[in-house]
Structures are given as C-alpha cells and as structure tokens.
C-alpha cells in the first residue's frame, strides 16, 4: 500500500489533524507514524490523544508515553 502523506502548516494544524484522527478512530485501529526528527509525530500523537478524549494536561507526556497512551485509549474504546 501507499502511505498517506499530509503536509501541515505548523504544530497547531498538526495537532488539529491528530484530533480529527482520534475522534474518528475505532477500537482495533492501528496508527503507524514514521518520520524524521521534528516531523511532527509527537504533535500529531498529542492531537490523537485529545481526539480520543484525554485532556490537555494528560497529553503533556514524552513521545513514548504518547504512543502508549493512544494504544491504551483505543483498547479502552473497544471495551465501550
């Protein structure tokens, strides 16, 4: 398959995109992010977490925790 590539105008736009992804994610979805340092993976992941219902304070974690948080939220969503 071909990867989806989206250019964003900055951190806020990247986080907004992530929020939209999170709001539309379903239990069992797999979201794989790749990119160079500074590509916006953390901003996108923070947005995904917000879209899955986490508050802004909870999203101020390091990038490893962000990925874990999204996986955990998707698993919780599956239980609902």
């Amino acid at each position: 398959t071909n990867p989806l590539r989206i250019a964003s105008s900055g951190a806020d736009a990247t986080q907004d995109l992530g929020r939209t992804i999170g709001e539309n994610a379903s239990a069992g979805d797999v979201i794989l992010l790749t990119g160079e340092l500074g590509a916006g993976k953390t901003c996108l992941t923070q947005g995904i977490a917000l879209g899955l219902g986490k508050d802004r304070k909870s999203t101020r974690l390091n990038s490893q925790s962000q990925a874990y948080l999204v996986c955990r939220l998707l698993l919780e969503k599956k239980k609902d």
Side-chain angles (χ1 to χ4, degrees), residues 3-62:
L4 175 63
R5 297 177 191 270
I6 299 172
S8 132
S9 60
D12 289 339
T14 301
Q15 199 168 76
D16 288 344
L17 173 63
R19 183 189 301 259
T20 299
I21 292 169
E23 289 170 348
N24 290 283
S26 298
D29 284 353
V30 175
I31 302 167
L32 174 65
L33 305 176
T34 63
E36 299 294 323
L37 182 63
K41 298 178 299 292
T42 298
C43 284
L44 186 67
T45 304
Q46 289 169 342
I48 293 169
L50 290 169
L52 288 169
K54 291 314 267 186
D55 60 41
R56 287 202 177 271
K57 184 178 178 185
S58 297
T59 63
R60 291 185 191 146
L61 306 170
N62 65 45

